[in-house]
Amino acid sequence: MTLLAAEKLRGGYGGADILNGTTLRVGASEIVVIVGPNGAGKSTALKALVGLVSLREGRIIFGDEEVTGLRADQLAARKLCYVPQEKNVFASLTVQENLEMGAFLRRDDFSARMEQIFDLFPVLKERRRQAAGTMSGGQRQMVAIGRALMLEPRLLLLDEPTAGLSPKFTEMIFTKIVEINTMGVAVLMVEQNARDALAIAHRGYVLVMGQNRFEDTGPALAANPEVAHMFLGG
Amino acid sequence: MLTDILQLLIYGILLGSVIALSAVGVSLIFGILRFAHFAHGDLMTAGAYFALFFMTATGASIWLAFPFAVLAAILVALAFDRVVYRRLRRTRPVILLIASIGVAFILRNAVLVIWGPDITVYESGIKPPMRFLGLRIKEDQLIIIIGTVLLVILLSLFLQRTRMGKAMRAMADDPDLARITGIDTDRVILWTWVIGAGLAAAGGVFLALDTRLQPTLGWDILLAIFAATILGGIGKPYGAIAGAMVVGISAELGAGLPGVFGADWSLTSYKPAITFLLMVAMLLWRPQGLVGGRA
């Protein structure tokens, strides 16, 4: 079942178009990865999905509703949550306060959800009273993902969740993404660590110049010699 | 001599209290709305005169008039936000800053038109100060200091414990992320004005109580408020409180110490200059504020 369908997106930040007809689909229980060279429009594609880029053309369907042009907070209310690559935690707030802010749209009791997130990332429970800005990059990423999960999203958009992380933390984040997926959350992410990301992905897209170049299952893309030659370093 | 210095310290804390109540608001407004609110001093003045209005209209005491003044100042701030600032939200901060100077003029001249240019007081008559270990403090002054401490505790509970308070801190950290997360930023802005204007009115009433009412009451102290905000690290409310104490105490000590050491001259009229020097020094050496590292 298709959860998200973005058709022929065109647009950018006001100048020349960065997206030139990008099309993305995510199934209800899939992990989908977008890879591609620098400047291919990968992050822009994610931002376009949550209304942070103005689209000239194209439409976005989430569930059974057209959501083209909706703002990020409106989409969060519809259980489509976005985690930006940088500046994705409230630095002066504690870990627990960050999670509480993630649940700002909820008026019900979310303590059980917070416990679930603490089970997923035990280090966040240990450091619940620490200011998020004083934590390591990997831990901040966990705070950011945990915050997005507070709304119990059906689809999680992750913009380079492992950027700048050590190999140990990178592997750890990918493991957690699989775990989150088994909790019933679909994941669409942009990744520079293409090989590792494709290894956990059900499907992947290769974007070049804002257009779909390849689309296949994760392992098939990783094994595709042309893709390997272009982006995976031989 | 020690007594004289302690006495100056009390005056410093007193001035610091009044500055703190306003500097917190300037700091919150800067953190959340991203502009230096130049009308904040005149909002204090308006608050002080609202209390006078309530007293003359009903014959009530200043303490009954106090909540009325706070409420009226909040409504004025919300009205200006609605009519002026909200339309400029998507423009550059400097445009909002200049708009706030315009709002300051409107407020000050409204006070002039309604209450006239004459200096006045809430209650005439001289109350003798209380004496304690050779130190002098008036009852009103004691109430000002205690009132400030209570208000700061309330503010701190609001910011640390309530959902809206945490959302305010979150938005001060990163407005874009707050929006993406689904925090109701319009409500956060509304609460920023409620807290900022409410505390400004409290500071204005306190200042008028300790000195006298005049249309430039708040405008005259705006420099000290900005100095305190910068000292505390712009956008950090707790820093602003600490900054206010530093500004208040150094202004009073700087002005009074020569006299304590037997000089036959005084720096009293140079209090704003002392504040100004402090602010310039801060901007040169530690623009990120006395505490914390984030610039």
Side-chain angles (χ1 to χ4, degrees), chain A residues 8 15 17 29 52 65 78 87 122 131 134 146 150 189-190 207 211 214 216 222 232:
Chain A
K8 298 197 166 56
D17 285 351
S29 54
L52 297 172
E65 186 188 4
R78 287 165 173 77
K87 300 211 285 177
T134 64
M150 285 302 288
M189 64 173 166
V190 165
L207 284 198
Q211 289 176 319
F214 298 102
D216 212 330
L232 304 179

Side-chain angles (χ1 to χ4, degrees), chain A residues 52 72-73 82 87-93 97 100-102 104-105 107 147, chain B residues 160 163-164 166-167 169-171 173-174 177-184 294:
Chain A
L52 297 172
D73 56 315
Y82 165 68
K87 300 211 285 177
N88 53 18
V89 297
F90 298 113
S92 76
L93 268 61
E97 287 170 339
E100 287 170 18
M101 286 301 108
F104 192 90
L105 285 166
R107 305 295 342 215
R147 195 192 54 246
Chain B
Q160 299 303 132
R163 178 168 171 269
M164 189 47 65
K166 289 172 192 176
R169 285 160 52 218
M171 196 172 162
D173 264 4
D174 192 333
L177 186 60
R179 225 163 274 131
I180 292 171
T181 308
I183 290 173
D184 187 344
R294 198 161 51 96

Side-chain angles (χ1 to χ4, degrees), chain B:
Chain B
M1 173 125 101
L2 185 64
T3 318
D4 291 335
I5 294 175
L6 282 177
Q7 185 68 47
L8 287 177
L9 218 53
I10 290 178
Y11 290 147
I13 291 170
L14 199 60
L15 180 60
S17 298
V18 171
I19 298 171
L21 290 176
S22 319
V24 164
V26 168
S27 200
L28 283 173
I29 292 167
F30 191 91
I32 286 158
L33 290 147
R34 308 273 146 177
F35 73 99
H37 188 228
F38 269 73
H40 217 70
D42 295 288
L43 208 50
M44 293 173 77
T45 315
Y49 275 91
F50 285 138
L52 180 72
F53 169 77
F54 190 79
M55 288 170 76
T56 44
T58 66
S61 75
I62 179 67
W63 303 117
L64 272 173
F66 183 83
F68 171 82
V70 167
L71 194 69
I74 289 171
L75 292 177
V76 166
L78 289 177
F80 275 112
D81 184 56
R82 195 61 178 268
V83 177
V84 180
Y85 302 134
R86 199 165 72 167
R87 296 162 196 272
L88 303 171
R89 214 86 94 202
R90 304 257 162 237
T91 61
R92 283 171 298 138
V94 67
I95 293 173
L96 279 153
L97 182 153
I98 290 168
S100 78
I101 296 176
V103 170
F105 286 144
I106 294 172
L107 277 172
R108 199 177 326 145
N109 287 291
V111 167
L112 261 170
V113 167
I114 299 169
W115 287 284
D118 297 333
I119 291 171
T120 172
V121 291
Y122 287 130
E123 285 163 347
S124 47
I126 296 166
K127 287 185 230 161
M130 299 183 292
R131 290 181 181 277
F132 180 73
L133 296 174
L135 297 172
R136 299 176 310 280
I137 186 163
K138 289 182 193 160
E139 194 187 327
D140 288 347
Q141 295 174 328
L142 202 59
I143 293 175
I144 291 171
I145 293 175
I146 293 170
T148 302
V149 171
L150 284 178
L151 287 172
V152 166
I153 291 172
L154 279 178
L155 173 78
S156 164
L157 286 175
F158 174 81
L159 288 176
Q160 299 303 132
R161 298 286 167 83
T162 69
R163 178 168 171 269
M164 189 47 65
K166 289 172 192 176
M168 272 173 79
R169 285 160 52 218
M171 196 172 162
D173 264 4
D174 192 333
D176 292 333
L177 186 60
R179 225 163 274 131
I180 292 171
T181 308
I183 290 173
D184 187 344
T185 51
D186 286 336
R187 276 184 67 82
V188 171
I189 289 170
L190 183 131
W191 275 96
T192 306
W193 286 115
V194 168
I195 305 248
L199 291 177
V205 171
F206 286 169
L207 184 59
L209 197 62
D210 189 38
T211 59
R212 291 166 303 179
L213 276 145
Q214 59 189 85
T216 57
L217 180 83
W219 177 253
D220 290 341
I221 205 181
L222 191 65
L223 174 68
I225 294 169
F226 280 159
T229 310
I230 292 166
L231 235 64
I234 304 166
K236 297 178 196 156
Y238 298 115
I241 294 166
M245 287 302 156
V246 173
V247 168
I249 289 169
S250 45
E252 293 293 349
L253 280 185
L257 273 184
V260 170
F261 288 105
D264 57 355
W265 44 273
S266 147
L267 287 176
T268 307
S269 24
Y270 288 92
K271 272 188 213 172
I274 295 167
T275 310
F276 199 71
L277 277 177
L278 212 58
M279 187 165 80
V280 170
M282 233 6 236
L283 285 173
L284 283 176
W285 284 301
R286 273 193 76 83
Q288 73 271 42
L290 285 175
V291 282
R294 198 161 51 96

Side-chain angles (χ1 to χ4, degrees), chain A residues 103-119:
Chain A
F104 192 90
L105 285 166
R106 292 179 66 159
R107 305 295 342 215
D108 56 338
D109 179 18
F110 51 76
S111 53
R113 184 60 171 179
M114 196 178 287
E115 280 309 315
Q116 258 185 319
I117 288 162
F118 283 149
D119 287 344

Side-chain angles (χ1 to χ4, degrees), chain A residues 128-162:
Chain A
R128 65 207 290 172
R129 301 199 190 288
Q130 188 177 334
T134 64
M135 300 174 89
S136 75
Q139 289 165 344
R140 274 209 303 274
Q141 198 62 46
M142 292 182 225
V143 174
I145 294 173
R147 195 192 54 246
L149 287 174
M150 285 302 288
L151 285 176
E152 310 198 10
R154 294 161 72 196
L155 174 60
L156 194 59
L157 305 182
L158 302 174
D159 194 354
E160 303 208 15
T162 68

Side-chain angles (χ1 to χ4, degrees), chain A residues 66-80:
Chain A
E66 173 154 8
V67 296
T68 319
L70 290 192
R71 297 188 313 263
D73 56 315
Q74 295 171 315
L75 288 159
R78 287 165 173 77
K79 305 210 172 288
L80 194 170

